[in-house]
Amino acid sequence: MGGSQVSLYLDPQIRDWVLFPITLVMILVGILRHYVVLLLQSPPKKMPRPAIREQRALLRSQILRETSTNSPVPPEYYKSISQELSKAFEAGTYLKDGPPKGDTPSRPPNPLTDPNAMDGMMSGMKTQAVMMVPQMVLMGWINFFFQGFVLIKLPFPLTLGFKSMLQRGIETPDMDVRWVSSLSWYFLNFFGLNGLYRLILGNDNSADGSRDMMMSPYSGPAQTPAQPQDYNKLFKAERDNLELAEALYNWNGKDVELRILRRYGKLST
Amino acid sequence: MSASLSEALQKLANYRSKNSRESLRVFELGAPLLSNDKWMKQKGDGADSYTWLEQLALAAIDVGRTGVADKCIEILSAKFPESPRVDCLAGIYIEATESPEAALRYYQNLLEKDESNAAAWKRQISALRHLGKLDVAVDELSKFLDTYYTDLEGWLELADIYSTCGRYDHALESLQHAMLLAPQNPFYVLQAAETGYTLGDLPLAIKFFMTVVDMTTSDEEEKAGDSVPDGITLRAWFGVKQCTRGLLQDVRGTAYSNTKSRVSPPTAAHLALLDELSTERLLTAYSTSTSSTAKGICGRDALVRWLEGK
C-alpha cells in the first residue's frame, strides 16, 4: 500500500466537464425514460365477454366450495349448483371458443399465434428497449471520451475488495481504492439514482433502469403475466375439487333448531 | 374562506368513505365548491380532487339540480375522456333528464364500443327494467351474471325482478347465489326465508328464519334468556312463529313433500318447543320498555290478539 501515500492532483476541469455532466446526463436520461415509458404504455387490453367469462368461471366453484363445510345453501340447491358447474366444466361450456371439438388434441396454445399474448410481450419489450438503448449509448459515450479518467476521491477509506467496483477501466494495482474511475461512477449512478428519481417523479416511476436490468423479457414466468393458460385442463381439475367439496358439504341450517332451542334453554344440552 | 372549503371537502370524503347517500347534504357542501371559480382553478390536480365531483354530480341528480350535475360531468369528461366511469355518470344524467329510451340507446352505444364495460351493462339492464321490458332485462341480467358471477347486486336485482313477477322459485334460486357470495349477511338469509315462506315452502322458511336468529344472536348473551330481540331478529321470530303455526296445523306434512327444496321440517316435539319459544320471545320484545321505545308496549295488545287468533 505504499502507493496510497502519493497524493494525486485532480484537475478541477475534470470535475466541471466530466463528473457533473455524467451525473446530470444520467439524471436527465432517467427522467426522459420515465416519460417515454408513460407514452408507450397502452391502456389495458379490452377483453371480449367470452374471455372474461372463461377467466371468471373458476371463481364460481371456488365461492361455492369455500363455504361448503358450513354452507348457507340447502342441500337440494347446493347439489344442483354443484352438479351444473361440474357438467359445464366437463362439457367446456365456459371456454371462450365454445366446447372443444372431439378430434383436436388439446395442446397449450402457442403464444406467438395469439395476438393478445403478442401484444403483452411487445409492450414489455418496448419498455426494455427504452431502458437498454439509452444506457448502452451512455456507456459507450463514457467509454469513448472518458476512458481511464479518475473523477473523484471518496472521503473515507475502503478495503482493497472495492477496487474492482470503484476502479473499473483503470488497470493499476497500486492506486488507492478511494479514487473512483469514470466507468465506475457511471455504475454507481446507475444503481444509486433511484432514490433521487423517487423524490422527483414520485414513487411508482419507471426511470430506474437497474430494476429492469435484472430481468430480461425471456427470464421466467414472472415477467410474462400474459402466459396463456389451458382453461380446459383447469376446469377438469376443478371438477375433482367440486366433488370433494360436495362430500364435505354440510348445511348450516341442518340442525339450527337444536342450536336455537339449546340457546334459550328449551332443550338440555 | 379556503379553510371552510377544505373542511367541506373533508366532509365529502367522509360521506364517500361511509358510502352514505345524504344527497342533500352533499349537494349543499359541494355546490359552493363548484361555483368558487378561483378555488377550482388553484386546487390540486390529484386523483382526490376529482372523486368528489362524481359524488356531487350524483347528489345533484338526486336532488334534481341537473345544471350542477352537468357542470361536474363536463369537468370530468374534459379531464378523463374515454373513461368508462365518466361515461356511466353521463348515462345516469341522461336517465335523469331525458327519456329512458334515450338512456337505453346511449348505453347500447357504449356497449357496442366496449362490450366488457360492466357498469354500463348494469345500467342498461336497469334502464330495460324501467321501460318495463322485463323479459329482456332478465335475459340480459342472466347473461351478465353468467359473466360476472361475483356481482352481488346483480343477484339481488334478479331476485327482486323475479319476485315482482311472482316467480318466487326463481327468486329463491337467485338468493342462494347471493347467500353464497355474502354468507355473513343475515339480511339475505331473511329475504330468502320470506321468499320461501311466500312460495309456501314452510320447512325451508323456518330453517332460514332460525338461521337468521342464530346469526344475529350469540350464545353468551342469550344464555340467560333475558335479552330483548329487536330489529332483524324480531322479524325473524315473527317468521318462526308464523311457520310453526302453519307446520303444526299440517300434522301429516303432506303439503310440503313436493316442494323443490325437499327440506324436512323439525320434528313435532321440536316444533311445539319452537312455537312456545317464539311466543315467549315476541312477548318479551313487546313488554319491556327498554326495547327501542314505548311503542313496543303499545303494540302488545295487537300482538297478543295475533298470537291468540289461530
Side-chain angles (χ1 to χ4, degrees):
Chain A
M1 291 290 276
S4 65
Q5 304 305 320
V6 183
S7 185
L8 264 153
Y9 178 70
L10 284 190
D11 192 341
Q13 298 264 19
I14 287 185
R15 183 193 59 203
D16 293 351
W17 295 102
V18 182
L19 178 73
F20 288 161
I22 287 180
T23 317
L24 196 70
V25 164
M26 289 202 68
I27 294 172
L28 290 181
V29 163
I31 293 173
L32 188 72
R33 181 182 129 78
H34 173 72
Y35 286 111
V36 171
V37 167
L38 278 192
L39 277 182
L40 282 180
Q41 256 164 9
S42 50
K45 191 92 181 103
K46 280 176 182 152
M47 291 167 84
R49 277 177 195 176
I52 299 176
R53 182 162 170 260
E54 177 186 69
Q55 208 178 42
R56 294 182 167 219
L58 277 181
L59 205 59
R60 299 169 150 230
S61 89
Q62 274 159 12
I63 287 169
L64 183 69
R65 283 193 289 121
E66 207 162 285
T67 51
S68 78
T69 51
N70 203 0
S71 182
V73 174
E76 284 297 318
Y77 289 99
Y78 184 92
K79 269 185 210 141
S80 84
I81 296 172
S82 173
Q83 276 157 15
E84 276 302 310
L85 273 176
S86 186
K87 245 185 260 162
F89 285 154
E90 170 78 59
T93 322
Y94 288 116
L95 292 175
K96 109 182 120 182
D97 308 318
K101 314 284 173 287
D103 49 343
T104 50
S106 92
R107 57 187 157 73
N110 185 351
L112 292 178
T113 54
D114 187 355
N116 290 334
M118 265 318 257
D119 272 4
M121 254 156 87
M122 279 311 287
S123 75
M125 265 149 72
K126 264 189 275 180
T127 322
Q128 290 286 324
V130 173
M131 198 281 307
M132 292 299 244
V133 171
Q135 299 299 355
M136 265 152 62
V137 171
L138 266 183
M139 208 164 141
W141 171 62
I142 289 166
N143 249 338
F144 187 78
F145 286 102
F146 311 124
Q147 194 170 30
F149 275 45
V150 172
L151 296 193
I152 49 168
K153 186 186 183 192
L154 296 177
F156 44 84
L158 285 168
T159 57
L160 215 57
F162 286 94
K163 200 166 179 68
S164 63
M165 180 179 131
L166 293 180
Q167 290 177 0
R168 193 163 301 187
I170 306 174
E171 308 300 329
T172 50
D174 286 342
M175 196 161 65
D176 187 355
V177 186
R178 291 160 74 184
W179 297 101
V180 180
S181 75
S182 57
L183 203 56
S184 293
W185 181 245
Y186 164 79
F187 278 112
L188 284 183
N189 279 337
F190 181 59
F191 289 109
L193 277 179
N194 194 21
L196 191 67
Y197 293 141
R198 219 175 288 161
L199 272 183
I200 305 173
L201 299 170
N203 236 338
D204 46 347
N205 66 72
S206 38
D208 181 29
S210 52
R211 231 174 333 153
D212 310 76
M213 192 68 133
M214 304 301 165
M215 33 192 186
S216 90
Y218 310 104
S219 73
Q223 183 65 13
T224 50
Q227 184 76 265
Q229 282 175 310
D230 189 355
Y231 277 102
N232 203 5
K233 237 177 237 164
L234 285 177
F235 288 158
K236 296 268 155 69
E238 187 62 27
R239 288 187 60 223
D240 293 341
N241 291 336
L242 271 177
E243 254 169 60
L244 184 68
E246 207 176 318
L248 291 173
Y249 165 80
N250 186 22
W251 183 28
N252 74 357
K254 198 172 147 207
D255 27 57
V256 62
E257 69 263 22
L258 298 180
R259 282 206 299 275
I260 296 284
L261 287 173
R262 279 191 194 122
R263 180 174 293 174
Y264 289 95
K266 292 283 170 193
L267 273 184
S268 54
T269 39
Chain B
M1 183 65 186
S2 77
S4 69
L5 286 179
S6 60
E7 197 180 312
L9 211 53
Q10 191 68 45
K11 273 186 197 153
L12 285 177
N14 209 4
Y15 280 129
R16 269 203 306 279
S17 66
K18 279 196 204 132
N19 216 357
S20 67
R21 194 150 174 172
E22 295 278 2
S23 297
L24 192 59
R25 280 295 293 148
V26 168
F27 181 77
E28 280 166 359
L29 283 169
L33 289 182
L34 191 69
S35 54
N36 192 332
D37 286 328
K38 203 173 126 218
W39 182 79
M40 285 295 286
K41 276 197 192 93
Q42 65 170 27
K43 77 178 163 54
D45 208 35
D48 227 29
S49 49
Y50 288 96
T51 36
W52 69 272
L53 277 172
E54 184 189 21
Q55 185 187 13
L56 177 60
L58 286 174
I61 290 171
D62 246 3
V63 297
R65 298 287 297 273
T66 43
V68 175
D70 191 34
K71 204 171 161 195
C72 291
I73 293 169
E74 219 168 81
I75 299 172
L76 282 172
S77 49
K79 174 70 187 170
F80 308 102
E82 309 268 311
S83 151
R85 196 160 150 190
V86 177
D87 282 346
C88 225
L89 198 60
I92 295 171
Y93 178 75
I94 294 174
E95 277 181 61
T97 52
E98 289 170 45
S99 66
E101 285 86 2
L104 193 61
R105 267 200 305 280
Y106 175 79
Y107 290 129
Q108 254 143 14
N109 272 338
L110 276 187
L111 286 172
E112 261 161 42
K113 263 192 284 173
D114 171 20
E115 60 171 4
S116 62
N117 187 343
W121 200 355
K122 271 168 93 172
R123 299 247 36 121
Q124 184 206 16
I125 291 162
S126 89
L128 279 170
R129 194 182 173 186
H130 264 276
L131 276 172
K133 293 182 186 165
L134 285 188
D135 47 339
V136 193
V138 167
D139 232 37
E140 282 289 318
L141 190 52
S142 311
K143 255 193 259 165
F144 172 79
L145 289 170
D146 195 35
T147 310
Y148 298 97
Y149 178 76
T150 46
D151 195 287
L152 185 59
E153 277 178 1
W155 285 111
L156 293 175
E157 181 77 9
L158 186 62
D160 196 43
I161 296 178
Y162 277 135
S163 297
T164 53
C165 308
R167 296 305 308 269
Y168 295 106
D169 46 344
H170 289 333
L172 200 54
E173 277 166 33
S174 317
L175 284 172
Q176 307 297 335
H177 292 282
M179 285 196 292
L180 278 176
L181 287 168
Q184 76 284 7
N185 193 327
F187 287 94
Y188 304 146
V189 184
L190 186 68
Q191 202 180 338
E194 286 168 0
T195 310
Y197 183 82
T198 321
L199 188 61
D201 191 347
L202 294 194
L204 183 70
I206 195 173
K207 289 278 191 182
F208 277 144
F209 277 127
M210 284 187 297
T211 312
V212 176
V213 174
D214 191 30
M215 284 167 92
T216 51
T217 54
S218 68
D219 260 341
E220 291 77 34
E221 63 180 283
E222 300 299 335
K223 263 279 160 13
D226 54 14
S227 78
V228 180
D230 58 351
I232 182 173
T233 321
L234 182 58
R235 196 177 163 102
W237 277 122
F238 271 114
V240 172
K241 174 73 193 168
Q242 192 74 1
C243 289
T244 51
R245 192 181 278 182
L247 285 168
L248 282 172
Q249 273 165 10
D250 180 67
V251 195
R252 289 188 301 166
T254 45
Y256 315 113
S257 51
N258 56 356
T259 52
K260 189 194 175 241
S261 67
R262 267 178 258 154
V263 171
S264 55
T267 58
H270 286 160
L271 268 181
L273 282 173
L274 278 172
D275 190 52
E276 193 183 312
L277 178 62
S278 55
T279 309
E280 216 172 80
R281 294 276 83 201
L282 287 171
L283 284 174
T284 321
Y286 278 86
S287 35
T288 343
S289 51
T290 51
S291 81
S292 52
T293 45
K295 219 170 88 194
I297 304 171
C298 298
R300 191 181 154 86
D301 294 339
L303 178 79
V304 171
R305 245 178 289 133
W306 178 72
L307 287 173
E308 283 165 355
K310 296 259 166 177

